Amino acid sequence: MELEFFSAAFLSALLTIILIDLVLAGDNALIIGLVARNLPKNTQNKVIFWGTFGAIAIRATMAILVVYILAVPGFMLGGGLALVWIARKLLMPESNTGASHLAKAPAATFAAAVRTIVIADAVMGVDNVLAIGGAAHGSILLIVLGLAISVPIIVWGSQLVIKLVDRYPSVILLGGAVLAWTAYSMVVREPLLVAWFEAHPATKLILAILIFSISLGPWYSARLSENMKPLVVLLPALLVWMLAFEVAASVWKVQVDYLLARDQGEYLFEAVRWLGWLPLAAAFLWLREQVVKRSSRSARA
Amino acid sequence: MRLIDRSPRAANAVRTVSPGGELFVASVVICMILASFGDAVDPMLFGEAGLEFALFDLGGEFSVLAMRHWHLLQLLLAGGVLAAGITILRVCSPAFFKALRPAPAGGVEKVPIKL
């Protein structure tokens, strides 16, 4: 789909890409510093140049690949689900902000240093490229613009980004929300599911709330009191339950609208759908209480 | 490692975010969910129930059902307006309720006319 240049849709997609670039930008400078710290001074300069060049080249290759990969049926759904996990991980409070696990040991040679930098950037950039691919709606121009924005961030803009997110941490929350919104739009656009979503429009709302409740879980979990914490699990579980019944009804061709139910089996199906989750929720709450009691008892002991 | 992990405030954004910023993002999320609601509801359903006037405004631009066509920019603007509205309500509502509260029966200000 090609978006009209400078239309609201185009500018919105561009803003989405900029936000994703800001919040998911990898710390390339740190990786280069860690890898090249034991090399001679003149080799270090070469490693900085070729490491940055390799990082940009791998990012460009991945960006081109993601356009074609997302066009394959099934990958849009997979990408959307991956984005939910990425958004959740983004909002998860970090306890360890120390050295990167991707480049713990310094490299002994120039080739090893460049290889480590390129691999580290590929690993760090997968989420970024995937999110940009989903937000670009297949527009090559937007992919190129996304790349043009992420490359200066990789090379020069790290301090600027750090200052911005340090001053306004709400940018991270907004980034998480935008990632969840992108994930929702990717799942809804999945070619294998488009017809099903058109036949079951109400499931789109369930899906949207499910995606937001999972992605933004760490955020509202931090605000909930201890008694309300089970909601973080119960709300998504209930939505998955509802969604599963919609899917089951489509697979087994069962009537899911109780007003249109015809026989006893369909009424029973409806009863299980609307009330069946209650004993499961009660069992979860009881189990959780037992675990909390046991852990507090062992802490006291 | 991501760039944001270099800033302790950004890495713990859910704890360090300002109330204003949090309200703005929450408003944007509400607008996004409303937009998906518009996407999920068949307008014909409401037409059959005679509720079309309850859900559509005159131009059909600002109703929940029309939000299905909104892009991120529009959702951000709507979120900003919603957050500003909630902030104004939070600031102004105590003054409104204070004016409604009766003065104490024996209070000097019971009759606000100074003789």
Side-chain angles (χ1 to χ4, degrees):
Chain A
M1 184 182 75
E2 276 301 323
L3 300 171
E4 201 182 321
F5 199 56
F6 274 111
S7 63
F10 182 87
L11 293 175
S12 295
L14 189 60
L15 183 65
T16 307
I17 288 169
I18 291 171
L19 264 171
I20 290 166
D21 271 334
L22 280 180
V23 297
L24 294 181
D27 197 348
N28 200 263
L30 181 81
I31 297 287
I32 292 175
L34 283 172
V35 170
R37 66 183 185 268
N38 282 5
L39 293 172
K41 195 77 189 163
N42 60 333
T43 317
Q44 272 184 6
N45 290 335
K46 270 200 257 176
V47 165
I48 290 169
F49 176 78
W50 286 108
T52 311
F53 179 79
I56 293 166
I58 198 84
R59 190 63 68 89
T61 313
M62 285 198 303
I64 294 162
L65 278 178
V66 85
V67 176
Y68 294 102
I69 288 172
L70 286 180
V72 178
F75 276 82
M76 198 65 104
L77 174 67
L81 296 179
L83 275 195
V84 172
W85 180 74
I86 291 164
R88 193 179 166 83
K89 213 163 170 304
L90 177 74
L91 297 181
M92 207 77 89
E94 278 286 328
S95 53
N96 176 26
T97 55
S100 171
H101 62 282
L102 292 167
K104 267 182 184 162
T109 62
F110 168 76
V114 172
R115 194 174 57 234
T116 308
I117 291 163
V118 170
I119 291 170
D121 192 76
V123 173
M124 287 189 307
V126 166
D127 50 2
N128 194 324
V129 168
L130 180 68
I132 288 174
H137 295 260
S139 163
I140 300 294
L141 177 62
L142 279 169
I143 294 275
V144 171
L145 279 174
L147 205 61
I149 293 163
S150 67
V151 166
I153 291 176
I154 290 172
V155 182
W156 302 290
S158 56
Q159 286 308 313
L160 194 73
V161 173
I162 293 166
K163 272 184 192 161
L164 176 78
V165 293
D166 194 59
R167 177 75 184 81
Y168 302 106
S170 48
V171 173
I172 309 293
L173 293 188
L174 190 61
V178 167
L179 278 173
W181 182 244
T182 310
Y184 165 72
S185 69
M186 282 173 82
V187 175
V188 170
R189 276 188 285 136
E190 165 59 47
L192 296 174
L193 297 175
V194 165
W196 188 77
F197 276 121
E198 272 174 25
H200 303 82
T203 50
K204 283 187 185 175
L205 181 62
I206 298 177
L207 182 76
I209 300 175
L210 175 65
I211 286 176
F212 277 108
S213 65
I214 295 174
S215 310
L216 307 182
W219 177 18
Y220 66 86
S221 167
R223 297 287 176 276
L224 291 174
S225 64
E226 207 50 50
N227 288 339
M228 301 297 278
K229 282 261 196 285
L231 267 182
V232 179
V233 177
L234 281 179
L235 177 64
L238 177 61
L239 293 166
V240 167
W241 175 271
M242 289 293 169
L243 214 52
F245 271 80
E246 286 285 338
V247 174
S250 305
V251 172
W252 293 313
K253 305 273 182 278
V254 184
Q255 181 55 253
V256 286
D257 190 342
Y258 69 93
L259 291 174
L260 301 172
R262 287 164 304 221
D263 52 39
Q264 213 166 19
E266 285 179 357
Y267 280 115
L268 195 67
F269 188 79
E270 277 305 302
V272 174
R273 182 193 184 196
W274 292 109
L275 303 171
W277 61 274
L278 281 168
L280 295 175
F284 166 73
L285 290 174
W286 179 80
L287 263 176
R288 188 180 178 275
E289 204 179 317
Q290 296 304 313
V291 170
V292 169
K293 266 185 196 165
R294 191 167 296 173
S295 59
S296 65
R297 226 178 290 144
S298 63
R300 251 183 279 138
Chain B
M1 189 186 183
R2 281 192 291 263
L3 269 181
I4 59 162
D5 294 334
R6 291 263 292 276
S7 152
R9 277 195 80 196
N12 292 294
V14 293
R15 293 186 192 131
T16 57
V17 66
S18 64
E22 191 172 27
L23 178 64
F24 170 67
V25 182
S27 306
V28 172
V29 171
I30 288 168
C31 289
M32 285 172 173
I33 290 173
L34 283 176
S36 70
F37 173 74
D39 204 14
V41 172
D42 182 5
M44 293 296 288
L45 196 75
F46 289 96
E48 281 170 18
L51 287 171
E52 65 266 52
F53 294 109
L55 285 150
F56 282 113
D57 66 301
L58 290 175
E61 282 297 316
F62 297 103
S63 68
V64 169
L65 292 182
M67 279 176 83
R68 71 169 80 191
H69 304 297
W70 283 16
H71 301 292
L72 184 68
L73 272 176
Q74 289 152 311
L75 292 170
L76 288 180
L77 283 173
V81 170
L82 184 61
I86 292 170
T87 309
I88 290 166
L89 271 179
R90 272 177 66 181
V91 171
C92 297
S93 58
F96 177 72
F97 285 110
K98 198 179 169 190
L100 288 182
R101 208 178 302 136
V108 183
E109 306 91 20
K110 183 65 183 168
V111 181
I113 302 167
K114 299 273 187 281
L115 295 172

